[in-house]
Amino acid sequence: MTLVERWVAAARGAGATAGDEALSAAGEALLARWREPQRHYHTVDHLAAMLSIVDAEGGGDPVRLATWYHDAVYDPRSPGDANERESAALARAELATLGVPEPVAAEVARLVLLTAGHAVTPGDGDGELLCDADLAVLARPPAEYDAYAAAVRREYAHVPDELFRAGRAAVLTSLLDLPALYRRPALAERWEAPARANLERELRALA
């Protein structure tokens, strides 16, 4: 099944009433966003990796749709959580156009907003899964983690080194300050320790 076919299936599962042609066009438009030239890490590969985790963990269609939309708007020059807010607004508007019921579209938008800080209320299973999948790269083997960090640096090539180091260190510190990077027990058991080791290693290198 292609990525667009997976998108159509998720939208249908969430209650979309639009025709197959309209749904396929929306999926293609989303993929075009993920292929924009300013992206080096936040690419189709990141989307596909997250979808694989969501599927493996039995996530429902709202989580799948939130995965598609969580970085749909991505401008490295945007301040704060502007990308997440714009991505959430895009999700809500487009899903409404495709006939997805408003409560479902609102839930997708809520989930997208969680990826700004990855702070999830206990018991929010969908939020836990989305954020765990989004942060999965942090637990990759060191060489793969370093490739991810280098890709992020390329996305911020417009930022001088000194400012980037300070900003990146703040991001890493905020992640390390989370009570837990991963909430799902099976994922936390596998990923928490290597992720923290990678974050601490990068933070030391930035000092």
Side-chain angles (χ1 to χ4, degrees), residues 159-201:
V159 179
D161 280 343
E162 184 176 353
L163 290 177
F164 177 82
R165 286 196 301 271
R168 181 67 176 169
V171 170
L172 300 180
T173 300
S174 69
L175 288 168
L176 287 167
D177 285 345
L178 289 171
L181 291 166
Y182 306 103
R183 289 81 174 181
R184 292 209 157 198
L187 299 180
E189 184 176 357
R190 301 203 312 266
W191 294 349
E192 188 77 21
R196 288 190 176 274
N198 279 329
L199 292 170
E200 290 166 355
R201 182 169 56 83

Side-chain angles (χ1 to χ4, degrees), residues 101-126:
E102 197 281 332
V104 179
E107 171 65 2
V108 172
R110 182 191 73 82
L111 291 170
V112 168
L113 289 172
L114 289 178
T115 63
H118 301 94
V120 182
T121 302
D124 181 2
D126 285 350

Side-chain angles (χ1 to χ4, degrees), residues 140-161:
R140 300 301 298 163
E144 294 179 31
Y145 178 92
D146 292 346
Y148 142 75
V152 170
R153 181 65 184 105
R154 289 196 296 277
E155 291 181 341
Y156 287 87
H158 59 282
V159 179
D161 280 343

Side-chain angles (χ1 to χ4, degrees), residues 14-160:
T17 58
D20 287 343
E21 186 174 338
L23 289 175
S24 294
E28 293 287 1
L30 274 173
L31 276 181
R33 287 179 173 275
W34 285 89
R35 293 180 175 129
E36 291 165 341
Q38 77 275 17
R39 297 168 182 259
H40 297 278
Y41 169 68
H42 296 86
T43 64
V44 172
D45 288 342
H46 174 53
L47 168 64
M50 283 186 64
L51 287 171
S52 294
I53 294 167
V54 168
D55 286 346
E57 291 295 309
D61 292 309
V63 184
R64 291 189 180 93
L65 294 178
T67 300
W68 275 89
Y69 278 107
H70 83 286
D71 282 326
V73 177
Y74 186 71
D75 180 358
R77 296 176 184 269
S78 293
D81 62 353
N83 285 323
E84 289 84 2
R85 287 188 285 105
E86 291 184 30
S87 295
L90 178 71
R92 197 159 189 167
E94 287 193 352
L95 293 175
T97 300
L98 296 170
V100 173
E102 197 281 332
V104 179
E107 171 65 2
V108 172
R110 182 191 73 82
L111 291 170
V112 168
L113 289 172
L114 289 178
T115 63
H118 301 94
V120 182
T121 302
D124 181 2
D126 285 350
E128 290 175 347
L129 177 53
L130 180 67
C131 288
D132 283 5
D134 195 25
L135 297 180
V137 66
L138 304 181
R140 300 301 298 163
E144 294 179 31
Y145 178 92
D146 292 346
Y148 142 75
V152 170
R153 181 65 184 105
R154 289 196 296 277
E155 291 181 341
Y156 287 87
H158 59 282
V159 179

Side-chain angles (χ1 to χ4, degrees), residues 1-16 23 61 64-65:
M1 185 180 291
T2 67
L3 280 174
V4 170
E5 289 170 341
R6 291 169 74 180
W7 153 261
V8 171
R12 279 270 180 257
L23 289 175
D61 292 309
R64 291 189 180 93
L65 294 178

